Amino acid sequence: MIRKALFPGSFDPLTNGHLDTINRSATLFDHVFVAVSTNTAKKNLFDVNEKIELIQLAINHLDNVSVIEHTDGLTVDLAKKVGADVLIRGLRNAEDFEYEMNIAAMNKIQNPDIETIILMASQQHRFLSSSLIKEVSFFGGDISKLVPPDVDRAIREKYSVLKLEK
Ligand code: ADP
């Protein structure tokens, strides 16, 4: 039996924490779909195509991972559509726990056949979030050890354009 998993998220942008979760998921499942949501309450710095491209560049070494767009509809419906019966999420701290527990419970009600598997964030990535990365980078901080190289470049480009436009 082929086990497929779906890792949904905003990935605005991908961090080394997300990438670590993707790498580890790729060893646990035959195929992993990274699903980039377009429909999020969070204000996004990158559009969905930019996010997808940045993830693709970072997962080049993994032949059992692909990136898809999650435009609208339920996450469990997207999982079903691509043949995944597991949702992957990451957990960094107690705050994530409350949030992830609610999402997992709701997804289970929507489709009891789909299981959520939560991977604990690796020790070195527990403090890492896309929003913190954006904030530090906006103020000129060095994020090069915290995100893949193409993400580092893309954020710096994005902010230099945005600052020029002001
Ligand atoms: P969402 O808006 O769906 O929470 P995110 O891109 O913020 O999207 O996160 C996607 C998933 O990755 C979430 O389950 C989140 O807890 C997890 N995650 C975020 N940052 C890290 C990290 N540093 N290490 C491990 N998992 C993480």
Side-chain angles (χ1 to χ4, degrees):
M1 183 186 172
I2 293 185
R3 294 311 295 261
K4 296 182 193 169
L6 184 94
F7 179 30
S10 326
F11 306 106
D12 186 48
L14 181 81
T15 69
N16 285 348
H18 294 128
L19 190 56
D20 182 57
T21 301
I22 295 170
N23 277 320
R24 288 158 61 201
S25 304
T27 68
L28 297 171
F29 296 93
D30 297 306
H31 195 88
V32 176
F33 295 95
V34 179
V36 181
S37 59
T38 54
N39 199 356
T40 161
K42 297 178 187 174
K43 197 175 172 297
N44 281 223
L45 180 63
F46 293 95
D47 69 33
V48 70
N49 292 325
E50 292 170 325
K51 293 186 208 178
I52 287 177
E53 194 190 337
L54 289 172
I55 299 173
Q56 274 165 344
L57 288 167
I59 60 160
N60 231 344
H61 60 293
L62 299 167
D63 58 9
N64 65 335
V65 179
S66 47
V67 193
I68 57 176
E69 193 175 327
H70 183 191
T71 341
D72 54 16
L74 296 173
T75 309
V76 288
D77 290 343
L78 179 65
K80 195 173 164 192
K81 189 174 146 203
V82 298
D85 55 3
V86 169
L87 297 177
I88 304 278
R89 294 286 288 179
L91 192 77
R92 288 162 293 186
N93 47 41
E95 201 184 321
D96 274 357
F97 177 76
E98 291 288 334
Y99 181 65
E100 296 297 341
M101 192 175 63
N102 291 341
I103 297 179
M106 184 54 84
N107 282 331
K108 191 78 180 169
I109 290 169
Q110 300 306 316
N111 187 339
D113 296 333
I114 294 184
E115 213 53 73
T116 296
I117 292 188
I118 308 262
L119 295 185
M120 302 296 291
S122 298
Q123 188 76 31
Q124 70 271 32
H125 299 131
R126 293 224 167 118
F127 68 97
L128 197 51
S129 67
S130 299
S131 43
L132 198 50
I133 285 295
K134 284 181 278 190
E135 194 172 333
V136 170
S137 181
F138 181 77
F139 291 113
D142 180 8
I143 53 156
S144 60
K145 293 191 175 63
L146 307 173
V147 295
D150 291 297
V151 173
D152 183 30
R153 172 192 47 77
I155 298 187
R156 281 191 277 115
E157 278 173 16
K158 186 72 88 175
Y159 281 136
S160 62
V161 170
L162 290 178
K163 282 176 181 170
L164 278 178
E165 282 172 356
K166 275 193 177 171

